[in-house]
Amino acid sequence: MRRWLRYSLLVLPLLLTACVPAVRMKGDASLLAAQHAREQALAPVDRWVLQGRLGVSNGSDGGSGSFSWSQDGDHYEFVLRAPVTGKSFRLSGDNHGALMEGLDGGPIRGRDAESLMHRALGWDVPLSDLRAWVLGLRADSGPAELTFGEDRLPATLLQDGWSVDYREWDTSRQPPLPKKLYAAKSPYKVKLVIESWQLP
């Protein structure tokens, strides 16, 4: 009994800590000004390479794997390597169209990356908005609502029907960049874990 009691006294604080919700502060003038400064600093950045892990679900089906994403102005190349599910592919394009290669049936073309990915895989991934969200910025697709964490960086972003939850930031960079973000728009979910950033 005493051993169980000692164990409970040790574990209980850990359980209580784990249940404490993350701080979510509404944006006051100071926080919004800092975010505006971040956006001003990062808005001109249109060349980068990031690598990490991706998970996607449509409520009944999904996929996951490692990915690399290269952006050079309007031109992009997104490569997913998912050997377990067999959904490895290369998606590339620009404002004039998109090309997906590597899936059964040969290459397919579409007007943009989002519609092509939905047609080929049934995945709803807002790649045009994600181009801004992965930098921790609000996209140009419409009004956005932000909350902030104790680190004074964005914690959640509501935009275009999607809820983006920023779980971790790389604060060794200035301005800081996201390392982990989850985006959801029922029934769709997209999880990105960014392991490396390459900026010019």
Side-chain angles (χ1 to χ4, degrees), residues 23-72:
V23 173
R24 299 287 187 263
M25 299 181 290
K26 292 189 72 173
D28 59 19
S30 173
L31 291 169
L32 291 173
Q35 175 65 9
H36 180 70
R38 283 190 69 258
E39 291 176 337
Q40 290 289 100
L42 291 169
V45 176
D46 64 354
R47 293 179 59 244
W48 37 262
V49 177
L50 61 88
Q51 296 179 324
R53 288 174 285 127
L54 170 75
V56 178
S57 171
N58 64 7
S60 59
D61 189 19
S64 63
S66 62
F67 77 94
S68 62
W69 184 352
S70 303
Q71 192 76 38
D72 186 359

Side-chain angles (χ1 to χ4, degrees), residues 95-106:
N95 291 336
H96 302 292
L99 171 68
M100 181 176 282
E101 303 168 279
L103 297 176
D104 292 341

Side-chain angles (χ1 to χ4, degrees), residues 57-168:
S57 171
N58 64 7
S60 59
D61 189 19
S64 63
S66 62
F67 77 94
S68 62
W69 184 352
S70 303
Q71 192 76 38
D72 186 359
D74 291 327
H75 184 270
Y76 57 85
E77 180 177 294
F78 187 93
V79 179
L80 178 70
R81 300 173 185 86
V84 174
T85 61
K87 293 181 178 177
S88 300
F89 61 84
R90 175 179 177 270
L91 178 64
S92 60
D94 53 27
N95 291 336
H96 302 292
L99 171 68
M100 181 176 282
E101 303 168 279
L103 297 176
D104 292 341
I108 57 173
R109 297 183 180 274
R111 68 179 185 276
D112 56 51
E114 289 91 342
S115 61
L116 193 57
M117 190 174 286
H118 186 82
R119 190 174 105 205
L121 301 169
W123 295 355
D124 193 351
V125 180
L127 286 172
S128 57
D129 284 350
L130 273 174
R131 179 177 169 182
W133 296 343
V134 295
L135 292 165
L137 312 180
R138 291 168 283 192
D140 296 329
S141 56
E145 182 180 334
L146 286 165
T147 67
F148 296 84
E150 285 183 302
D151 54 9
R152 301 180 62 82
L153 292 167
T156 62
L157 167 64
L158 301 178
Q159 187 171 30
D160 199 24
W162 285 84
S163 173
V164 183
D165 188 0
Y166 289 98
R167 301 290 181 92
E168 189 176 349

